[in-house]
Amino acid sequence: MKNYLNFINNQWVAADDGASISVSNPATEEIVGLVSAASAEQAIQACDVAASAQRAWRKLTSIERGHHLHNLAQAIEARKAAIGQALALESGKSLEDATNEAVYAAEITRYHAEWARRIEGEIIPSDSPSENLMLHREPMGVVACLIPFNYPVYTLLRKIAPALITGNTVVVRPSNNTPCSAFEIAQAVLDAKLPPGVVNILTMGHDEAQALCTHPKVAMITLTGGVTAGRRVLEYSKTNIAKSSLELGGKTPAIVAADADLDKAATDIVRSKTTNCGQLCTAVERVYVERSVHDALVAKLKAKLSERQFGNRAQDASRMGPLISASSRQAIHDMVQRAVQEGATLECGGVMPQGPGFFYPPTLLTQVGQKFEIVQEEVFGPVLCVLPYDTFDEALAMASDHQFGLASVLYTENYRHVMQAGNEIEAGELYINRTPADPYQGYHAGWKRSGLGGDDGKHGMLEFTQTRLVIMSY
C-alpha cells in the first residue's frame, strides 16, 4: 500500500488534521492506497497559490506554455509504468489498459501544446471608417477541475492541458475512488519543472470541494460526472457567477437497420458495453433494431454477452473488470430487477455474483418499453436494452425521446438515413457504423441534460477562454 500527500505549489502537503481517505481495489476490495484529505483551508490555499501563479503564467507567450506542455507529456510518458500501476490497482483495469491510458493522456497533452500558435482572436469590421474592432482571447484565471473515476488519468489531462495552454492555472480534485494515479501525475508535473502553483492536486470531501468551487478566485469549474454532480456545480457557480463546463450523463442509442452488417454491429456494441464494465458515458445503453432483424441481432448480442467472462484483470486481462463500488453494483442490480418487474425479459446476466470484488455479469434485456426506467436513466454498467422499430422515423424519434443527448450510433448502408440522422438526431455526436471513441480534434459536447460546453478540439480549448473587445479609433 502506498501513501500519498496533496500537491500544492509544487510541494507535497499533509492534511492539516492528519485525515486520510483509503482507496480500495474494486476487484479484490483490498485497500491499495491512502491519500491525505485536504481541509477547506488547504483548498482555499491552493486557490490562492494558483491565482498568484496565474499572473506570471498568463504573461508567458503561448509557445512557452506549449514547451511546458510538451515537457509534461514527455514526463507522463516516462512515468507511464508508475501511473499505470496506480491506476490498475485503484480501478480494477488491466495493467496494459491503465498504462495505455497514461500514453493517451500524454498524447492529448501534446495535441493541446500544438495549439500554441493557433489561438486566434478576430478583427471585426466597424461601422466607422477610422476604427478597428479587435476581439482578444484571454484566459479565465483559476480553473477548478473535477475528475471522474472511470478514466481519471485521461480526463485529468483532457481538462488541464487546454486550460494551461490558454493561460489558466488549475486546482484539480480527483475522484476519491481513483486519486492515486492523479498524484503519480503530480510527480510528472515536478519532473517536467512546471512553475510552482500552475497545477495543484488535492483529494477532499464534498464540503471542502464546495470551499474550492465557491472561492472568489475560481473563474471556471469544469466537471465530468453525473447529473446530480452537475446540479451541485451549478449551485456552486452561482456564488461568484463562475463559468461552468459540464460533461454529464449519457444514454447512447444505437440504431441498427436491416441492411446493416449485424455481426459487426453486435461485436461493436458488446465491446462498447463491456469495456471498463460499461462505465463510460458514451457506451451504448439502448439498441433500436429494425423489426425484421430484431431476433437475429438479439441472438448475436446474447451469444456474445453470455460468453464474455468477468473477473480480476490482474490475473486475466481478457476478462471484463469490476464496477467501481458496491453501491454502484447494487444500484445497477436494483434497476435490472425493477425492469423485470415492469415486464422486461432477462435474456442473460442480471445475477449478483458471489465472492470478493464488485463484479456484475453482462446483462441483456428485451421486451422493454420506451418509458421504462432502464431505458430512460443512465445505468453506467454492463446492461443493454433492445427495442424494435418499424420505420426509420420511428427509430429517430425514440432515440431522441430522451433527457440525455451525448453520443449516438447508426448502423446502416442507406446514405439517405445517414444524412437524415445527421440533421435530426438530438445528440452532440453521431457515429456511423462504429461505436463512440472521442477523437482529440473533435468536439465532445452533450445536448439536454448531458451537459454544458464540451471538451476536445478547437472548441473545447476555447471553453477555457473569455473575450475582450478592443475598439480602437484612429
Side-chain angles (χ1 to χ4, degrees):
M1 183 178 71
K2 193 168 181 178
N3 294 344
Y4 294 92
L5 302 179
N6 286 309
F7 185 71
I8 304 173
N9 206 29
N10 281 18
Q11 295 179 349
W12 300 107
V13 180
D16 287 336
D17 58 0
S20 62
I21 298 168
S22 60
V23 181
S24 299
N25 183 334
T28 64
E29 303 183 45
E30 297 172 350
I31 295 176
V32 294
L34 206 61
V35 297
S36 291
S39 65
E41 290 74 21
Q42 288 176 315
I44 291 168
Q45 177 194 358
C47 293
D48 290 336
V49 162
S52 178
Q54 199 263 338
R55 288 192 286 272
W57 181 252
R58 70 175 296 170
K59 289 182 179 179
L60 295 180
T61 64
S62 56
I63 196 64
E64 288 177 295
R65 294 195 295 268
H67 287 321
H68 279 295
L69 285 186
H70 277 298
N71 290 340
L72 178 58
Q74 186 175 351
I76 290 169
E77 205 147 35
R79 290 190 55 78
K80 65 182 181 181
I83 296 170
Q85 179 66 26
L87 178 57
L89 286 173
E90 67 190 357
S91 69
K93 295 182 181 184
S94 71
L95 183 58
E96 180 181 9
D97 284 356
T99 304
N100 285 341
E101 188 173 332
V103 174
Y104 300 149
E107 190 60 30
I108 199 170
T109 304
R110 290 192 183 96
Y111 169 80
H112 283 98
E114 291 165 4
W115 273 104
R117 292 189 173 96
R118 297 172 180 85
I119 304 170
E120 301 169 341
E122 299 176 38
I123 298 176
I124 304 168
S126 171
D127 291 345
S128 169
S130 59
E131 185 175 80
N132 289 325
L133 308 181
M134 295 177 288
L135 189 69
H136 294 240
R137 286 281 177 179
E138 299 289 346
M140 296 296 302
V142 177
V143 181
C145 303
L146 310 181
I147 309 302
F149 69 81
N150 57 339
Y151 287 92
V153 169
Y154 179 75
T155 308
L156 194 155
L157 274 302
R158 190 188 211 182
K159 301 288 189 187
I160 74 169
L164 297 183
I165 195 61
T166 48
N168 304 282
T169 54
V170 298
V171 180
V172 178
R173 185 215 177 182
S175 166
N176 289 344
N177 289 306
T178 53
C180 301
S181 53
F183 292 117
E184 296 291 350
I185 292 170
Q187 182 60 53
V189 171
L190 284 176
D191 295 345
K193 296 181 171 56
L194 263 68
V198 170
V199 176
N200 307 275
I201 302 176
L202 302 86
T203 51
M204 62 189 76
H206 289 306
D207 290 344
E208 292 75 21
Q210 181 175 359
L212 163 65
C213 293
T214 58
H215 191 287
K217 292 177 182 175
V218 169
M220 178 177 175
I221 310 168
T222 177
L223 162 78
T224 296
V227 173
T228 300
R231 290 193 177 107
R232 188 179 296 124
V233 165
L234 289 176
E235 285 295 318
Y236 296 159
S237 68
K238 287 171 17 180
T239 304
N240 297 300
I241 318 300
K243 181 177 182 179
S244 297
S245 178
L246 309 175
E247 196 249 87
L248 306 179
K251 191 75 177 177
T252 299
I255 299 173
V256 182
D259 65 351
D261 182 336
L262 296 187
D263 287 324
K264 182 180 189 307
T267 298
D268 289 355
I269 290 168
V270 168
R271 184 187 303 114
S272 171
K273 189 71 276 181
T274 57
T275 295
N276 203 27
C277 202
Q279 298 169 119
L280 180 62
C281 57
T282 55
V284 174
E285 291 220 352
R286 48 197 173 113
V287 177
Y288 298 101
V289 56
E290 197 163 351
R291 194 177 298 275
S292 62
V293 294
H294 172 273
D295 292 352
L297 182 64
V298 167
K300 293 177 186 295
L301 291 171
K302 181 177 179 178
K304 292 178 182 296
L305 287 168
S306 297
E307 68 186 19
R308 189 77 168 92
Q309 300 297 306
F310 59 83
N312 188 343
R313 302 193 72 203
Q315 299 171 352
D316 184 349
S318 69
R319 292 178 178 265
M320 183 181 75
L323 293 161
I324 194 62
S325 66
S327 59
S328 292
R329 180 173 67 167
Q330 189 62 57
I332 290 168
H333 185 60
D334 290 346
M335 287 183 75
V336 170
Q337 289 187 312
R338 287 194 294 271
V340 172
Q341 290 168 3
E342 284 186 272
T345 298
L346 186 62
E347 300 285 349
C348 65
V351 177
M352 188 76 83
Q354 300 298 312
F358 309 128
F359 300 103
Y360 198 75
T363 298
L364 180 63
L365 293 165
T366 59
Q367 300 298 318
V368 293
Q370 177 70 8
K371 299 303 180 183
F372 279 24
E373 175 199 33
I374 202 82
V375 176
Q376 290 297 318
E377 297 293 337
E378 185 176 35
V379 176
F380 219 62
V383 179
L384 190 65
C385 301
V386 182
L387 298 86
Y389 72 86
D390 294 304
T391 68
F392 190 69
D393 285 343
E394 179 189 7
L396 274 181
M398 289 194 294
S400 297
D401 175 27
H402 210 277
Q403 61 177 318
F404 296 122
L406 190 54
S408 58
V409 173
L410 171 60
Y411 283 92
T412 185
E413 297 300 320
N414 186 324
Y415 81 91
R416 290 184 175 87
H417 287 167
V418 170
M419 294 300 293
Q420 183 181 355
N423 287 334
E424 296 180 11
I425 201 158
E426 296 176 9
E429 298 173 347
L430 173 62
Y431 292 80
I432 307 300
N433 293 325
R434 58 164 294 187
T435 49
D438 310 331
Y440 304 140
Q441 65 271 42
Y443 185 48
H444 182 60
W447 290 23
K448 307 177 188 177
R449 292 183 184 177
S450 286
L452 300 170
D455 296 307
D456 302 334
K458 173 183 177 180
H459 300 287
M461 181 266 297
L462 292 179
E463 288 283 339
F464 293 88
T465 68
Q466 55 190 337
T467 58
R468 180 191 300 113
L469 181 67
V470 177
I471 301 94
M472 182 177 292
S473 297
Y474 60 93

